[in-house]
Amino acid sequence: MKGAIRFLASFLTLFMIICPVTVLARDESIDWTPEEVAFMEAHPVITVGVDPQFVPFEFFDDTGDYQGIASDYLEIISQKTGLTMEIQEGLTWTQAYDQALSGEIDLLPAISKTSLREESFLFSEPYYNFKRVIVIRDSTDGISGIDDLYGQTVAVQKNSSHHSFLSEYDDINLSLYDTVEEALTAVANGTETAFVGNLATTNYLIRSSGLTDLKYIAFDADDGQGIYFAVQKDMPELVEILNKSIDSISAEEKIAINNRWVGVDIETDYSEIFRVIFIVAGLIILIWLVSVYWIIRLRREIETRKRVQADLEIATEEAEKANQIKSSFMARMSHEIRTPLNAIMGMSYLVKKTPLNLTQKMYLDRITQSANTMLSIINDILDFSKIEAGKIEVENVPFNMDQVIQDVINIVSHKIEEQRIGFNLTKDPRMPNCYFGAPKRIEQILLNLINNSAKFTNEGEIGLDIRMIAKTSNRIQLAFTVSDTGIGMSEEQTKKLFEPFTQADASINRRFGGTGLGLSIVKNLVEMMAGSIKVFSEQGEGSTFIIELELTIDEEAEATYKDYVSSLYFKEIKTLVLDKSGSNINMLDNYLSAFGIKCEFTTSAKAVVNILETGAGKFSKPFDLLIVDYETPPGDALKYIEQLLENSKIIHKPKILMLIPMMRDDLFELLEGSGIDVGVLKPVIPSVLFNGIMEIFRTKAIVANEAYKSESETLQVQEYDYGVLIVEDNKTNQLIAKSLLESEGFKVFMADNGEDGVEQFKIHQDEINLILMDLHMPVLNGYQAAEKIHSIADTVPIVAMTADVIDGVIEKCREYGMENYISKPFDPSKMIQLVIELIESQGQNVSDKEKSKGINPEHSEEDEILNSEAGIKYMGGNETLYRNVVEAFFKENKDILNVISPMIDSHDYKEAALTVHKIKSSSGSIGAKNLVKLASKFQKALEAKDSEEIQEFYVYFEKQIELLMEMIESYLMKKD
């Protein structure tokens, strides 16, 4: 009886919710304030914007009726307040939210609260809370919490709060779905392992979709998420009305609403059970009579299923064999193409180290770029294969954004020139240049997009714009925009754009060619990097692709770069720019200002002559530098410069930097004869321009299209007296590796196969510090040879060299003791760097050998302490500029020992290393050779936190600083 009464009460409550009756009178038992009553009388109708697909919280059913948890709460609130809730139909959630922002809608009934939304709305107390859950199949074991998802791929609804939550876990890969239902279906059919979402929505969809083979796992990700009512900022009374209404709803009513949409726990009705027992008892005899028949049928079915299972196992085995054949073919194809590419790229690198004129150097650059393009095609095919298998990886390494842009432009410039179209580059000067991320993947994305634009653009131009759109302490949101004036696409073609092996339509493939893989790979890579891609296109009007990526700033490298820039005292350089292009002027203004260079702009070639003759510029001092766009002066720009420099009325002739059009490499050989100090290829990249100006005021050189040189490249080349054994059966590869290593001072031993390599190691074991091992060789392969060598000496590092890039090769190398891996074709400079790092890590640090030689400041030659002649040469022969730089150096560093000494005493080695690095950078500019060498070693000791070495180097460093300051004072007094 008690159960029946309880059932009737629940039924009546549910009936009131399902079949509401509009009650215009307010519930007077609620303590309304006069202001709240006045508000309800003044606003009898409240407009409501809803999310039409936010099940089970709010949605429209098949008949168009507004349903869900929020709907039930609104109905009860309407009864308690007398307010009419007017639902705005026919809107998407985005439209409803935008109308609420503009004030057209009063109330959003099912929304989560964020700090950003609190700027636009007032929020009620939460009326519903839900938890995140992991959903897996019943048969899945080994997952009991969020930690078990590390290294796994997890399904999640795109742009949901759960998407943002999981993005914080770097070790969890995400598979994005447009709807929760699609994601749950993928888990149910085995396509995905797990799904993360909220309990309420997930439970509702599982029940409504009949996905019965799934289970939940709750985890303590946070304290749950609340669902709120959000109202306009000018309606604070409505918030209080809603809160009071919610508080007055009984616990029974809230449970009834929850059970209706999320799940109902029904108390057992024993009378019904007894009735069922009698029915079952009546049927059991019938079942027993036919059981023999069904047992026979079941046995036959089992036999049939066994046969089907056997056939399935045979089919699976055949599929695995086919996949192995495919993998073997991919490996062989890659190996056979990469091996000759290694020879092309390696030989090009070696030839570039011989005396060459600029044209020859440019030709070799084009050969290397073409080889890289061919390599990128191979990589596209391999990447797509890895994407299909879900095994592609995204690295996270430090990189320089300007270098990435430089590499992209070097590769695409030839294609753009072939099309006879323009190329425009703009880069936000506010954005940092040093990041952690996947530079090769970013380069791959930009190359695919720009090459795609070039393919479909016959006239006009292609643009690459890089903007900073948001920044936190160490994270930055960047937008890469690639636009073109090409043939464009229809809406239907745009929809198919990212499908693999598909062009916009059949005619596109016939007219323009291509594999149809590029953009599919771009989309996958962008999503793997937690970014987004958007496409805007119209037929005949061109296309625009926008990639948004979030990257981590390499704060240490960025600080070092800024220190390096500030140490060059560019603020002393006055610059005049001649350029007719407005976009170029804006860009150059941004770049030069970022370097601290004061500049003036003009579009008139005659005005330049007048300014230099009369000194009528905006600065009181003469101009030190003139930047000229080759395409701005009328007629022959080189003749214009020659005549300008021959003008006797110009008392102080500035240094000249010329901006060269893309693919006009032939002009570089003519620059020096025309009196031009440096040429920089367009489009102008900040670090290339910076490097060009730096070279002008250090030594006369032609920069052409070189990237920003690292600090290590500006110092004297170190010769490394170590032995390397090369085990390689390809004679060309032998020659390349041997030449590269010998040019750096390494002693090289050669072996033609694995067995010969083992013998060579036995003979020269004491002289060999590292082994480069090819994997595929006759007699004894690389794996076997590595195993035998490590049985003789297990500490010698062995580096695998191979053109195999398929999955499993790296793992197999590690199994045989080859922890490091060089893929052919290899980057020669990176190969050298890896060899050096591995040898040094074995306890044979180069700096230790240098240290044994020592630097005794008391016996240093004066020219080594301060070489003013070398310093003036670094400033392009400008002695006045050199004097200003030396004076600034003295003022900045005369008390530097008082700064560094407390840092060392307090063991703040990181800050001390940064300070010493800054001194090292600036001392090179004034010709303080000893201090450059000593500061470099001192910095390494600080970075290694070696207390004994730090104290030893500090004694030398202190004496060197004192001697240098004395010599600077003498130099400045002499000049006075």
Side-chain angles (χ1 to χ4, degrees):
M1 186 67 180
K2 186 177 179 181
I5 292 172
R6 209 182 276 171
F7 173 78
L8 180 60
S10 299
F11 175 79
L12 289 175
T13 303
L14 191 59
F15 179 80
M16 290 174 65
I17 295 169
I18 299 173
C19 305
V21 178
T22 303
V23 180
L24 298 179
R26 284 187 295 276
D27 185 345
E28 297 303 334
S29 66
I30 299 175
D31 185 19
W32 308 112
T33 65
E35 291 80 10
E36 292 164 356
V37 172
F39 177 87
M40 287 186 278
E41 290 175 351
H43 302 81
V45 177
I46 303 297
T47 55
V48 181
V50 305
D51 184 343
Q53 296 181 336
F54 190 23
V55 295
F57 297 101
E58 59 177 359
F59 59 95
F60 289 103
D61 63 16
D62 294 339
T63 62
D65 291 334
Y66 178 50
Q67 299 284 351
I69 294 172
S71 171
D72 290 351
Y73 272 90
L74 282 178
E75 185 61 39
I76 294 175
I77 291 170
S78 181
Q79 293 175 22
K80 290 178 179 291
T81 61
L83 297 174
T84 300
M85 301 296 176
E86 187 177 277
I87 308 300
Q88 307 300 298
E89 300 179 356
L91 300 178
T92 65
W93 168 240
T94 301
Q95 292 168 336
Y97 186 82
D98 288 344
Q99 289 190 19
L101 285 175
S102 63
E104 300 174 53
I105 285 176
D106 300 325
L107 173 67
L108 298 174
I111 187 170
S112 58
K113 181 165 68 173
T114 66
S115 57
L116 181 62
R117 288 172 175 172
E118 285 186 291
E119 295 176 6
S120 304
F121 301 107
L122 298 175
F123 285 83
S124 70
E125 294 298 320
Y127 62 89
Y128 194 92
N129 288 284
F130 60 81
K131 281 281 192 178
R132 286 193 176 95
V133 293
I134 302 170
V135 181
I136 58 177
R137 292 187 300 279
D138 289 334
S139 58
T140 300
D141 296 321
I143 297 177
S144 59
I146 191 70
D147 293 344
D148 296 323
L149 298 180
Y150 291 169
Q152 304 250 23
T153 298
V154 177
V156 69
Q157 185 184 20
K158 188 191 305 179
N159 296 328
S160 65
S161 62
H162 317 293
H163 182 182
S164 302
F165 168 75
L166 290 175
S167 297
E168 298 297 324
Y169 291 86
D170 295 334
D171 295 328
I172 298 178
N173 301 318
L174 302 184
S175 184
L176 304 180
Y177 288 83
D178 291 329
T179 67
V180 175
E181 189 170 3
E182 290 175 358
L184 289 171
T185 302
V187 175
N189 64 27
T191 304
E192 302 288 356
T193 303
F195 163 78
V196 171
N198 77 67
L199 176 61
T201 301
T202 303
N203 182 63
Y204 181 87
L205 287 173
I206 287 176
R207 288 193 301 140
S208 60
S209 303
L211 301 173
T212 58
D213 56 345
L214 300 177
K215 63 181 178 182
Y216 307 107
I217 297 171
F219 64 97
D220 296 328
D222 49 30
D223 295 330
Q225 293 182 310
I227 296 295
Y228 301 77
F229 292 110
V231 304
Q232 294 295 327
K233 281 272 192 178
D234 59 355
M235 292 183 172
E237 298 86 356
L238 182 54
V239 173
E240 291 305 316
I241 291 168
L242 293 171
N243 285 337
K244 289 181 179 180
S245 300
I246 294 169
D247 288 342
S248 69
I249 299 174
S250 68
E252 289 79 6
E253 288 176 300
K254 292 179 180 178
I255 291 170
I257 293 171
N258 181 76
N259 288 345
R260 180 185 179 198
W261 298 108
V262 179
V264 183
D265 294 322
I266 302 173
E267 186 177 285
T268 304
D269 184 347
Y270 291 103
S271 61
E272 182 66 18
I273 292 175
F274 291 144
R275 186 177 68 85
V276 171
I277 289 174
F278 284 121
I279 294 173
V280 171
L283 294 174
I284 201 166
I285 297 175
L286 179 61
I287 295 172
W288 180 79
L289 292 174
V290 298
S291 61
V292 175
Y293 169 76
W294 285 112
I295 289 172
I296 295 171
R297 289 288 302 271
L298 181 60
R299 286 176 177 172
R300 290 176 180 173
E301 182 67 21
I302 290 172
E303 291 299 323
T304 302
R305 293 200 176 196
K306 284 182 177 179
R307 288 195 297 270
V308 171
Q309 181 66 28
D311 292 340
L312 182 60
E313 288 175 358
I314 292 171
T316 302
E317 186 178 345
E318 290 176 351
E320 288 176 352
K321 286 180 180 178
N323 192 51
Q324 289 174 358
I325 292 171
K326 171 190 168 185
S327 297
S328 177
F329 170 75
M330 295 289 284
R332 176 54 57 188
M333 179 194 73
S334 171
H335 189 280
E336 293 302 323
I337 297 176
R338 284 171 180 270
T339 298
L341 272 180
N342 188 61
I344 294 169
M345 297 171 73
M347 287 297 184
S348 298
Y349 179 85
L350 291 172
V351 173
K352 284 167 69 175
K353 298 188 76 171
T354 64
L356 298 169
N357 61 41
L358 282 169
T359 301
Q360 290 170 325
K361 181 180 179 297
M362 295 300 171
Y363 289 160
L364 284 170
D365 286 341
R366 295 296 180 258
I367 290 172
T368 304
Q369 290 158 15
S370 297
N372 280 323
T373 301
M374 186 173 182
L375 183 61
S376 71
I377 295 171
I378 300 168
N379 289 338
D380 272 354
I381 297 171
L382 292 173
D383 279 347
F384 183 74
S385 178
K386 289 179 181 178
I387 288 170
E388 275 190 320
K391 294 182 178 179
I392 196 166
E393 295 180 357
V394 176
E395 61 185 349
N396 187 41
V397 297
F399 71 97
N400 182 298
M401 184 63 76
D402 272 2
Q403 185 62 59
V404 172
I405 299 169
Q406 179 71 47
D407 292 341
V408 169
I409 291 173
N410 283 347
I411 295 171
V412 302
S413 58
H414 183 67
K415 177 70 174 177
I416 290 171
E417 179 65 17
E418 278 185 341
Q419 297 290 103
R420 302 292 181 186
I421 54 178
F423 183 80
N424 184 36
L425 167 69
T426 53
K427 180 191 171 193
D428 192 338
R430 302 172 301 158
M431 59 182 279
N433 210 35
C434 303
Y435 302 92
F436 291 101
K440 288 301 178 185
R441 297 304 181 188
I442 295 174
E443 179 182 321
Q444 187 177 0
I445 289 167
L446 295 178
L447 281 174
N448 270 312
L449 292 179
I450 295 174
N451 279 326
N452 185 73
S453 289
K455 185 191 299 184
F456 300 115
T457 303
N458 294 322
E459 57 184 16
E461 69 173 17
I462 295 171
L464 170 59
D465 177 79
I466 306 174
R467 294 280 144 196
M468 179 177 71
I469 56 179
K471 184 177 182 292
T472 60
S473 58
N474 69 332
R475 299 282 289 174
I476 189 168
Q477 190 85 11
L478 298 179
F480 300 82
T481 303
V482 176
S483 57
D484 63 63
T485 56
I487 62 175
M489 293 174 288
S490 66
E491 184 177 351
E492 183 180 350
Q493 290 171 332
T494 304
K495 289 178 181 178
K496 298 189 295 182
L497 194 60
F498 297 111
E499 295 178 12
F501 302 106
T502 303
Q503 297 282 12
D505 58 42
S507 65
I508 294 294
N509 191 41
R510 290 194 299 271
R511 291 164 58 198
F512 299 99
T515 62
L517 280 178
L519 293 181
S520 172
I521 291 171
V522 165
K523 185 174 186 294
N524 279 281
L525 289 177
V526 168
E527 290 177 351
M528 289 179 66
M529 296 166 70
S532 64
I533 180 169
K534 299 175 184 176
V535 185
F536 303 93
S537 187
E538 187 174 340
Q539 283 187 318
E541 299 295 330
S543 303
T544 298
F545 293 80
I546 302 176
I547 304 288
E548 291 188 7
L549 294 175
E550 186 173 322
L551 298 172
T552 301
I553 301 169
D554 185 346
E555 293 177 317
E556 186 174 344
E558 186 67 19
T560 300
Y561 175 77
K562 287 181 178 178
D563 284 346
Y564 182 68
V565 173
S566 65
S567 72
L568 296 175
Y569 304 98
F570 277 173
K571 60 187 177 183
E572 304 292 339
I573 299 173
K574 307 299 183 296
T575 302
L576 178 62
V577 180
L578 172 60
D579 199 318
K580 65 182 179 182
S581 168
S583 59
N584 272 355
I585 288 174
N586 291 334
M587 176 187 63
L588 289 170
D589 189 19
N590 288 331
Y591 293 167
L592 293 170
S593 297
F595 301 154
I597 295 177
K598 297 178 180 178
C599 51
E600 182 174 344
F601 292 85
T602 180
T603 59
S604 168
K606 292 182 179 179
V608 170
V609 178
N610 181 59
I611 290 171
L612 294 179
E613 285 181 350
T614 63
K618 66 180 182 180
F619 305 116
S620 59
K621 295 182 179 180
F623 286 99
D624 303 293
L625 176 64
L626 173 63
I627 298 177
V628 180
D629 187 311
Y630 178 83
E631 297 172 303
T632 296
D636 189 334
L638 301 182
K639 287 289 185 185
Y640 168 78
I641 297 298
E642 289 178 11
Q643 293 169 5
L644 187 70
L645 295 175
E646 291 171 0
N647 188 340
S648 60
K649 295 181 181 180
I650 300 175
I651 300 174
H652 181 80
K653 293 182 172 59
K655 299 293 181 181
I656 311 292
L657 184 150
M658 180 163 280
L659 305 180
I660 306 297
M662 182 184 288
M663 298 303 293
R664 286 301 309 272
D665 304 337
D666 57 300
L667 293 174
F668 284 103
E669 290 187 6
L670 306 176
L671 296 184
E672 193 164 5
S674 302
I676 297 168
D677 297 276
V678 165
V680 172
L681 201 64
K682 296 196 297 184
V684 178
I685 295 172
S687 61
V688 178
L689 177 64
F690 171 87
N691 190 41
I693 297 172
M694 181 184 69
E695 289 294 334
I696 284 180
F697 292 99
R698 290 184 57 180
T699 182
K700 191 171 184 181
I702 295 180
V703 179
N705 203 19
E706 295 180 19
Y708 168 69
K709 291 183 179 178
S710 67
E711 177 190 338
S712 62
E713 291 174 313
T714 66
L715 301 176
Q716 185 177 1
V717 175
Q718 171 70 46
E719 291 191 353
Y720 299 97
D721 186 21
Y722 298 116
V724 177
L725 171 61
I726 300 172
V727 187
E728 166 71 69
D729 65 325
N730 184 293
K731 294 296 183 183
T732 303
N733 287 338
Q734 281 184 2
L735 175 61
I736 293 169
K738 184 173 185 290
S739 301
L740 287 172
L741 292 168
E742 286 182 342
S743 68
E744 299 291 337
F746 288 95
K747 185 176 182 180
V748 178
F749 302 90
M750 303 298 301
D752 292 330
N753 56 63
E755 185 176 298
D756 187 18
V758 174
E759 293 303 316
Q760 287 292 321
F761 181 74
K762 288 178 180 178
I763 297 169
H764 303 286
Q765 181 176 347
D766 294 337
E767 301 174 80
I768 293 172
N769 304 101
L770 180 135
I771 300 170
L772 297 175
M773 180 75 70
D774 187 29
L775 296 182
H776 299 286
M777 294 179 291
V779 187
L780 202 66
N781 66 36
Y783 300 112
Q784 297 164 331
E787 192 172 34
K788 288 195 174 186
I789 289 173
H790 273 158
S791 68
I792 301 168
D794 60 357
T795 59
V796 62
I798 302 178
V799 179
M801 291 197 310
T802 181
D804 283 351
V805 291
I806 60 170
D807 295 325
V809 172
I810 297 176
E811 290 76 9
K812 188 175 179 181
C813 288
R814 288 172 179 162
E815 288 176 12
Y816 283 85
M818 293 179 281
E819 292 294 329
N820 291 278
Y821 180 98
I822 295 176
S823 176
K824 298 175 186 175
F826 52 76
D827 182 315
S829 59
K830 289 183 180 178
M831 188 267 277
I832 294 293
Q833 186 62 34
L834 177 61
V835 169
I836 294 168
E837 289 175 358
L838 289 175
I839 291 177
E840 289 181 351
S841 69
Q842 296 298 308
Q844 299 154 332
N845 196 298
V846 174
S847 64
D848 292 337
K849 288 195 172 186
E850 291 176 338
K851 180 186 165 189
S852 66
K853 299 175 185 176
I855 295 178
N856 188 343
E858 296 177 358
H859 297 90
S860 297
E861 297 292 337
E862 287 192 0
D863 281 350
E864 298 297 309
I865 299 172
L866 180 66
N867 190 330
S868 57
E869 291 183 4
I872 293 170
K873 185 178 179 182
Y874 292 157
M875 300 297 159
N878 189 331
E879 188 171 0
T880 301
L881 178 60
Y882 174 71
R883 177 185 171 81
N884 291 337
V885 170
V886 170
E887 188 173 0
F889 178 90
F890 180 79
K891 290 178 181 178
E892 184 177 3
N893 297 303
K894 62 181 179 179
D895 297 320
I896 197 66
L897 294 175
N898 295 330
V899 176
I900 295 176
S901 182
M903 293 177 181
I904 293 174
D905 292 341
S906 61
H907 301 290
D908 188 0
Y909 297 144
K910 181 178 180 181
E911 196 63 34
L914 291 174
T915 305
V916 171
H917 172 80
K918 187 174 181 180
I919 295 171
K920 176 180 64 177
S921 300
S922 55
S923 58
S925 301
I926 65 172
K929 296 180 181 179
N930 267 1
L931 187 57
V932 172
K933 296 176 184 177
L934 182 57
S936 178
K937 297 172 186 176
F938 191 18
Q939 180 186 343
K940 288 181 181 179
L942 288 164
E943 289 171 346
K945 299 181 180 179
D946 187 328
S947 299
E948 185 179 341
E949 279 196 350
I950 289 170
Q951 294 300 327
E952 183 178 349
F953 276 120
Y954 181 74
V955 174
Y956 288 120
F957 184 80
E958 183 180 35
K959 289 184 178 293
Q960 192 65 227
I961 286 286
E962 290 171 352
L963 288 171
L964 177 61
M965 292 304 167
E966 289 176 9
M967 290 200 67
I968 290 177
E969 282 188 297
S970 298
Y971 172 80
L972 294 175
M973 289 176 64
K974 287 179 186 177
K975 294 300 176 182
D976 288 339

